[in-house]
Each structure stands twice: as C-alpha cells, then as structure tokens.
Amino acid sequence: MDSLYVVKTLIVRMHESFLDVMENVDQEVADWLPPGEAHPIRTSAAHILWVEDAFVNAVIRESTTLWADLGLQEKTGIRPGPIPNLEWARTTNIDIKELKNLYVNELFDNTESYIENLDSKDLNREIDIEGKGRALKRVLIGTRVSDILLTLSIHSSNHIGEIASQKGTQGLRGYSF
C-alpha cells in the first residue's frame, strides 16, 4: 500500500462518514444548541465543507473556492470562512437542506476528481502557505500536498464525530453502523 492510496482512501471514507452522519439531519436537529460552548450541527457541517473547499481549491490548487464558483454567498447570504466566535456559530442561520443540495455533492465530486488525478510526485509538492492565515499554519501537520490532505481528513473526521455525538445527545443514532 502506498501513500497515494492511503490519502485517497482517507478522503473518500471521510466523505462517506460525513454523508452517513448527516443522513437524517433536518433543520431542527441541525439548529439544536448544545450545552456549553459546542457549536450546533449546522455550523459544524458548514465548517467541515468550507475547510475542505479552502484546503483543496484555494490552498492546494491556488484557485477560487467552489463556494465562490457556485455563487453560494449570494444564494445563501453566508460568507464562508473560519467560524469567528461562539456567538456567530450559535446565531448564524444556515439552511441545512440548502447546504446539502447546493454544495455537498458538488464539493465532494470536485475533491474526489482532483485526488483521483494525483500521483505520488504531486503528494510531495510543497505548498507556500505564507499569507494564507495564521489559523492554517496552526492546524497543518506540514506543507506538502499530502500533509494538507491528511490534515483535512483528520480535521473533518473530528468534527464528524462531534456531529454524531450531538445527534446522540438529541436521542438520534449518530452513525448508521
């Protein structure tokens, strides 16, 4: 098994986990405010998607995000980016059905198409992350394409677990298995 296979498999499985955990999330479930400082499912889901879009399209490919290409800021009224604070996370309305219908499949297809065409040489390419934000530097495990994709997989999987837990707290099954 080579590193290219591992990276591709992690991204595809992460997508499958996201789709699985979001399967029966309606607006009421997505809007539920957990106790303490945890974010509602709607902002956690949006964050997972925005980070993937930013990492793959803006950082690695040095292109525009799919969010921008699809005109979703205008359609949804939401400007994507890091979740600025707890108040924003708890008060920003995100239509979960709209997010799923307009963005998820397009984004996952975009990412999977990109990684399908990678080769081992591509994984070792260094990415210049200067000027791309302090938060990015804090979370990345390195600056090669493979490092960024591994960070994406770990980051997203952590948040997917949070969503599953929040569903459980609401009396729902978190994962289908």
Side-chain angles (χ1 to χ4, degrees):
M1 180 179 341
D2 65 5
S3 57
L4 184 59
Y5 175 82
V6 171
V7 169
K8 288 179 178 181
T9 301
L10 283 171
I11 297 296
V12 169
R13 296 294 180 256
M14 181 262 298
H15 286 165
E16 291 170 353
S17 291
F18 180 86
L19 294 172
D20 178 62
V21 80
M22 293 298 292
E23 174 100 14
N24 60 349
V25 172
D26 61 17
Q27 197 64 48
E28 181 179 351
V29 171
D31 288 344
W32 179 75
L33 294 177
E37 295 190 18
H39 297 170
I41 289 173
R42 67 176 182 261
T43 49
S44 293
H47 177 68
I48 291 167
L49 301 171
W50 293 338
V51 166
E52 178 172 332
D53 198 357
F55 277 22
V56 172
N57 294 310
V59 175
I60 296 173
R61 298 171 92 180
E62 297 181 335
S63 181
T64 58
T65 62
L66 190 61
W67 185 270
D69 290 345
L70 295 172
L72 295 179
Q73 183 170 331
E74 294 77 23
K75 291 177 184 171
T76 65
I78 300 169
R79 182 176 174 271
I83 295 176
N85 57 48
L86 182 62
E87 180 184 349
W88 185 94
R90 289 175 142 322
T91 60
T92 298
N93 293 320
I94 297 172
D95 183 323
I96 203 70
K97 186 176 180 180
E98 186 175 63
L99 191 69
K100 288 179 186 180
N101 290 339
L102 297 176
Y103 195 40
V104 173
N105 291 331
E106 292 283 338
L107 177 65
F108 289 178
D109 288 348
N110 173 275
T111 298
E112 289 179 24
S113 174
Y114 169 72
I115 64 171
E116 189 56 39
N117 293 307
L118 290 176
D119 61 32
S120 295
K121 180 178 71 178
D122 295 323
L123 287 180
N124 289 317
R125 181 171 61 92
E126 288 285 331
I127 301 292
D128 181 8
I129 61 168
E130 285 305 312
K132 295 193 174 155
R134 282 180 281 142
L136 183 64
K137 289 181 183 178
R138 277 199 325 261
V139 299
L140 288 180
I141 59 175
T143 57
R144 294 175 301 163
V145 168
S146 60
D147 299 328
I148 295 167
L149 292 173
L150 290 171
T151 301
L152 169 65
S153 179
I154 294 164
H155 170 269
S156 297
S157 296
N158 288 339
H159 287 298
I160 291 166
E162 290 174 346
I163 291 171
S165 176
Q166 288 178 19
K167 286 175 64 181
T169 303
Q170 295 180 66
L172 300 171
R173 187 177 205 163
Y175 293 106
S176 65
F177 51 86

